[in-house]
Amino acid sequence: MKKTIGAVLFVCCVFVYAQENVKKDTINPLKTKEIQEVILKSQRKKQFADKSVYTFDKEALEKARYAKDLLETLPELQLDPISNSITSTKGGTSLFLINGIEATDLQIRSVAPSEVVKVEYYDIPPARWASRADTVVNIITRSTETGYVFGADVSSALTTGFVNASAYANFTKGKNNFGLEYSLNLRDYDNRKAQSIYDYNLNGEHYRSDENRTDHFGYTFQNVALRYTRLVPDNYAFQAKLNMDIFSRFSKGTGQSIFEKDDVSEEHAMFKNNASDYVIPKLDLYYSKKIGKKDEVSLNVVGSHYTTNTTEFAKEWIVPSGISVYDNDMILNTKQTDFVGELAHTHDFKDGKLSSGYRISNTSISNDLNNLAGYSEYSVNYLEQYFYMEYSGKVNTFSYRVGAGVTNIHNKSAANTFDEWSFTPKLILGYQLKNNQSLRLTSSFSPTSPWSSALSSNVVQMAPNIVQKGNPFLKSQQTFANNLIYSFNNKHFDFNANLFYRYTNRIINQYYVVDDTFGGYALTYENEKNAQRYGLQLSGSYKPFGSSLLVIKAVLTPASETVKTSTGALIKNDYLANNFVVSSEYKSFSIQYQLNIPVYTLSGAFLNTNENQNHIFARYKLKSWSFTTGMYWMGMPSQYKTKSLPESLVNYNVDTKIMNNKSMFVLGLSYDFSKGKKTELQRKLNNDTAPAATF
């Protein structure tokens, strides 16, 4: 730790005394000419061991409003109309960068298509991002010139509470760039219907609770960001970003249930209300310094401190006597302090690159809690350290990336302390079969710390004789992942076949257990023995005419998954995950249709479905204006199902439907304008603090 602190102080001193080199802010005109020639000749894909690199033709650049539209054309990406953001067709978490710096959706919109040199799509993220995302997309742009860009958009449903809105502005002068962003996501649905059934045996008696509830729920999420960047080419870069997340949610539900005990049944009534809110101010500081021609040192520090307020009030009583079955009052106030720091170094060799670094993240939470167990005050602390080093290179048609790291997880609560060091190796091998075909093999091992709600000591009443709580004694889970990937692409096809196998030791899942404290059963988290998932993922796109006039994207994943519980029981599930996108673009008009068939996947002793899709939306571009319209969940509401497996102590089924968004019609309008170019920092480190701790 002393060595790390010393290194951090050294980098800070270098920053203070750094001298500016006399450089022009524009790139070499000869290099600019070379880039333009590559882009304008053809649209093509180049495959590497861990990423694909895409360039765009003149037609694609002219049709796009901003860089975000170019990302939609990638075979592995699609526009999610619900959030108005770019997502992976394969699912999972995606991280977006501009010249190596983490970028928001609005920042991507602020990049004009003519400024995009290429896009790097990492389906195997490098070490510094591997723990944060399943895929990484890095947009490489041209260098700096004075200019400004601004824009705004809004889309709203006409008959229910659904609004997405945003505005952004960037201004560049010389070596300095200023950016301001604001976004709003509002949902207000008053007709969410849920039917849940609890069926179990307890103390020799049979119980069944059949509940029907209607909720009025919603949330408002706002984000405000202010950025300052100073970039001196071939010398140093500095960025300070102040970010504010403002979030509030609520749910107010009433319902009835038929409660049975052996042959006796009762009519029950209930209400369940809950709410949560927080305001997160976050400061993100970044500095990188060139040392000679081959070395670069980077430092990133992110910190936040805030309070989260969570409440839940629920009551169930017998009709018509009014006798209470249970009263659940929970008030949770958490004061949370987050810190992430990373120090990294890169060195370019003749035949490869060496990257190394150290990252530390710490989350400290102080809880003030009133719940079924009474009043309590307790603190928890989650600390994770990560040392990593990886070398990447290429020899003729053979490319590789070899990495090794050490991860330390140290979680401390009032009830337990967990401390463990893990070796985290990674191997990636790539071989170019032909110009448009490649074969890749990846293998990695990594630990995952339990999340705050899983470790929580909180207790919440769910139904008669049923409570939910966390488990402070959880250990981290460890995943060994392997992939064999074949890639093929030409003018019409872009195809990937991924044969995968994942083994997770001590997997963390939710199960029902006998609860000696309150009687009945508790839904809690446990470390099971292991889990395995294997299958074949087929993904890609097909362009019948070799252009964007018609594009068909599809992902099909036949897979099998098993979980071996702590008692030795083996749970198995087979499924066929799927996702389909059909789009067409002609001149200034485009239309897109998305469809999937939900499937059940394992989550502990439960099977859960993914969200259903049946969306169609269209867009028309007129100069700087764009007009959009669409219908989401055509002919159906959004629906979510969960059912327990035979191995579960409680037979649980729930079917939830949001009736408000059935065949939801949406209209949207946006305006984007730019003049000149702007500073885009080529940032090497990107970190974020832990999410708000709720239960």
Side-chain angles (χ1 to χ4, degrees):
M1 183 60 71
K2 290 182 179 179
K3 292 182 179 180
T4 301
I5 295 174
V8 172
L9 293 175
F10 168 74
V11 174
C12 292
C13 292
V14 171
F15 166 62
V16 172
Y17 293 105
Q19 299 294 317
E20 296 182 11
N21 291 338
V22 180
K23 297 282 185 179
K24 292 184 178 181
D25 289 340
T26 54
I27 59 177
N28 188 299
L30 294 177
K31 293 183 179 179
T32 305
K33 184 177 180 180
E34 292 174 356
I35 291 172
Q36 290 175 339
E37 287 176 354
V38 172
I39 293 178
L40 298 180
K41 282 183 178 179
S42 64
Q43 179 180 5
R44 64 191 183 96
K45 171 185 177 182
K46 190 172 183 180
Q47 185 67 57
F48 294 86
D50 58 348
K51 66 182 178 181
S52 304
V53 177
Y54 293 89
T55 55
F56 303 93
D57 58 20
K58 182 179 180 181
E59 181 184 3
L61 295 173
E62 290 177 345
K63 285 183 178 180
R65 297 167 296 171
Y66 31 63
K68 182 177 176 181
D69 288 347
L70 295 177
L71 296 185
E72 288 184 51
T73 67
L74 269 61
E76 300 90 347
L77 299 177
Q78 65 181 4
L79 176 67
D80 177 12
I82 310 305
S83 62
N84 193 29
S85 60
I86 300 295
T87 60
S88 171
T89 57
K90 303 173 185 178
T93 304
S94 297
L95 180 66
F96 295 91
L97 316 171
I98 297 177
N99 293 330
I101 177 174
E102 185 172 348
T104 63
D105 182 80
L106 291 178
Q107 285 177 267
I108 298 172
R109 278 184 56 186
S110 70
V111 178
S114 58
E115 295 180 21
V116 177
V117 176
K118 60 184 178 180
V119 173
E120 298 174 331
Y121 176 85
Y122 291 87
D123 54 355
I124 308 169
R128 62 180 180 267
W129 299 312
S131 62
R132 295 187 53 205
D134 301 294
T135 56
V136 174
V137 181
N138 186 24
I139 304 169
I140 306 298
T141 68
R142 306 180 196 281
S143 192
T144 13
E145 284 183 9
T146 298
Y148 57 87
V149 57
F150 60 86
D153 78 285
V154 62
S155 61
S156 175
L158 300 184
T159 59
T160 190
F162 178 95
V163 178
N164 292 329
S166 62
Y168 65 91
N170 280 288
F171 175 72
T172 300
K173 186 172 179 60
K175 302 177 180 66
N176 304 293
N177 171 259
F178 302 87
L180 178 64
E181 299 175 15
Y182 172 77
S183 63
L184 166 71
N185 300 103
L186 183 147
R187 305 291 185 267
D188 191 342
Y189 297 136
D190 61 5
N191 191 13
R192 177 175 64 176
K193 297 185 180 297
Q195 180 183 16
S196 56
I197 297 174
Y198 295 89
D199 194 299
Y200 53 91
N201 293 307
L202 182 64
N203 298 325
E205 296 175 312
H206 177 253
Y207 292 85
R208 179 183 173 89
S209 177
D210 191 342
E211 175 185 314
N212 287 276
R213 189 174 71 250
T214 300
D215 293 338
H216 177 196
F217 85 101
Y219 66 84
T220 302
F221 178 78
Q222 301 176 80
N223 175 265
V224 182
L226 178 64
R227 294 186 316 277
Y228 168 71
T229 304
R230 181 168 178 80
L231 174 63
V232 180
D234 299 322
N235 189 356
Y236 75 87
F238 171 76
Q239 183 181 79
K241 180 178 179 181
L242 181 61
N243 191 78
M244 186 82 73
D245 290 334
I246 307 169
F247 177 80
S248 64
R249 66 166 179 84
F250 71 91
S251 177
K252 300 177 180 179
T254 59
Q256 303 80 36
S257 72
I258 302 299
F259 181 74
E260 299 178 5
K261 180 179 178 180
D262 289 333
D263 297 328
V264 180
S265 64
E266 298 173 340
E267 183 181 351
H268 290 187
M270 71 193 66
F271 72 82
K272 293 185 177 182
N273 300 337
N274 59 73
S276 181
D277 63 80
Y278 57 75
V279 177
I280 305 178
K282 192 180 301 177
L283 181 63
D284 185 342
L285 300 175
Y286 172 82
Y287 175 71
S288 66
K289 173 68 178 176
K290 291 280 189 179
I291 303 175
K293 295 183 178 180
K294 297 184 177 181
D295 292 89
E296 184 176 8
V297 177
S298 303
L299 174 67
N300 183 213
V301 177
V302 186
S304 63
H305 176 75
Y306 60 98
T307 299
T308 302
N309 302 302
T310 305
T311 60
E312 180 162 324
F313 303 105
K315 182 177 181 179
E316 185 168 329
W317 63 93
I318 301 173
V319 178
S321 68
I323 298 175
S324 177
V325 177
Y326 68 78
D327 283 284
N328 175 43
D329 292 347
M330 188 272 288
I331 301 176
L332 175 63
N333 297 314
T334 62
K335 294 186 182 298
Q336 184 166 333
T337 302
D338 295 313
F339 171 81
V340 179
E342 185 170 3
L343 180 67
H345 170 259
T346 61
H347 178 81
D348 292 325
F349 291 92
K350 182 179 179 181
D351 298 321
K353 174 181 283 190
L354 177 66
S355 302
S356 58
Y358 167 73
R359 183 172 67 240
I360 180 172
S361 62
N362 189 82
T363 300
S364 179
I365 303 174
S366 176
N367 297 277
D368 189 338
L369 174 65
N370 263 304
N371 65 2
L372 293 172
Y375 176 77
S376 62
E377 292 182 2
Y378 64 96
S379 298
V380 294
N381 195 85
Y382 310 126
L383 173 68
E384 184 169 324
Q385 300 180 80
Y386 179 42
F387 300 85
Y388 62 88
M389 180 179 292
E390 64 179 10
Y391 183 84
S392 57
K394 186 176 183 181
V395 180
N396 297 325
T397 58
F398 177 75
S399 55
Y400 59 91
R401 196 173 90 204
V402 181
V406 177
T407 301
N408 171 241
I409 295 175
H410 184 91
N411 295 332
K412 184 178 181 180
S413 67
N416 185 47
T417 298
F418 174 78
D419 186 89
E420 184 177 66
W421 291 85
S422 301
F423 178 59
T424 54
K426 174 175 281 189
L427 175 65
I428 303 172
L429 303 175
Y431 183 72
Q432 197 76 25
L433 299 174
K434 294 182 179 179
N435 289 334
N436 62 343
Q437 298 182 58
S438 66
L439 194 64
R440 294 178 290 159
L441 174 67
T442 76
S443 184
S444 64
F445 178 84
S446 61
T448 303
S449 177
W451 43 101
S452 60
S453 61
L455 290 166
S456 172
S457 300
N458 197 6
V459 182
V460 174
Q461 190 85 42
M462 304 298 294
N465 303 317
I466 305 290
V467 298
Q468 179 182 349
K469 60 183 181 180
N471 179 5
F473 297 93
L474 288 175
K475 301 178 180 179
S476 65
Q477 62 183 29
Q478 303 167 319
T479 301
F480 178 52
N482 301 272
N483 300 271
L484 180 61
I485 307 169
Y486 168 76
S487 300
F488 168 82
N489 71 285
N490 59 23
K491 183 179 180 180
H492 298 280
F493 287 96
D494 193 303
F495 173 75
N496 293 282
N498 179 11
L499 187 65
F500 62 88
Y501 172 76
R502 293 174 64 93
Y503 177 89
T504 303
N505 186 42
R506 302 190 313 221
I507 187 169
I508 301 170
N509 278 320
Q510 272 189 311
Y511 291 89
Y512 286 106
V513 298
V514 176
D515 182 49
D516 296 327
T517 304
F518 298 97
Y521 295 102
L523 178 61
T524 189
Y525 294 87
E526 287 189 347
N527 284 108
E528 305 307 323
K529 289 186 176 181
N530 58 67
Q532 298 181 70
R533 187 164 66 93
Y534 51 89
L536 177 65
Q537 184 176 76
L538 306 173
S539 63
S541 67
Y542 173 53
K543 299 178 179 179
F545 307 106
S547 68
S548 58
L549 182 63
L550 179 62
V551 182
I552 302 171
K553 299 180 182 181
V555 179
L556 290 173
T557 310
S560 181
E561 53 187 353
T562 61
V563 173
K564 192 171 185 179
T565 68
S566 56
T567 60
L570 187 66
I571 302 173
K572 185 177 181 181
N573 178 55
D574 299 321
Y575 63 91
L576 178 60
N578 59 89
N579 186 63
F580 305 94
V581 180
V582 180
S583 64
S584 178
E585 187 172 1
Y586 179 72
K587 294 184 178 180
S588 298
F589 179 79
S590 62
I591 188 170
Q592 188 171 128
Y593 174 67
Q594 297 180 2
L595 172 70
N596 74 353
I597 301 172
V599 296
Y600 282 100
T601 55
L602 270 177
S603 177
F606 300 98
L607 289 168
N608 299 322
T609 60
N610 54 316
E611 185 179 78
N612 54 315
Q613 295 182 12
N614 191 29
H615 316 315
I616 187 168
F617 52 99
R619 180 176 65 224
Y620 178 75
K621 177 185 174 183
L622 181 63
K623 296 182 179 179
S624 297
W625 295 89
S626 295
F627 305 88
T628 59
T629 185
M631 182 173 288
Y632 307 152
W633 292 287
M634 291 188 298
M636 63 181 69
S638 59
Q639 186 172 16
Y640 316 88
K641 295 181 180 181
T642 297
K643 62 181 180 181
S644 58
L645 294 163
E647 291 81 2
S648 176
L649 295 176
V650 176
N651 182 13
Y652 173 68
N653 287 271
V654 61
D655 186 351
T656 303
K657 300 176 182 177
I658 304 177
M659 305 306 297
N660 297 88
N661 57 27
K662 178 181 179 180
S663 300
M664 184 172 66
F665 184 66
V666 175
L667 289 176
L669 175 67
S670 69
Y671 178 82
D672 301 273
F673 180 82
S674 63
K675 183 177 181 180
K677 299 176 183 176
K678 57 193 174 302
T679 299
E680 294 295 351
L681 171 64
Q682 190 166 355
R683 174 169 162 172
K684 305 301 181 182
L685 302 178
N686 304 276
N687 292 290
D688 200 1
T689 55
T694 59
F695 187 82

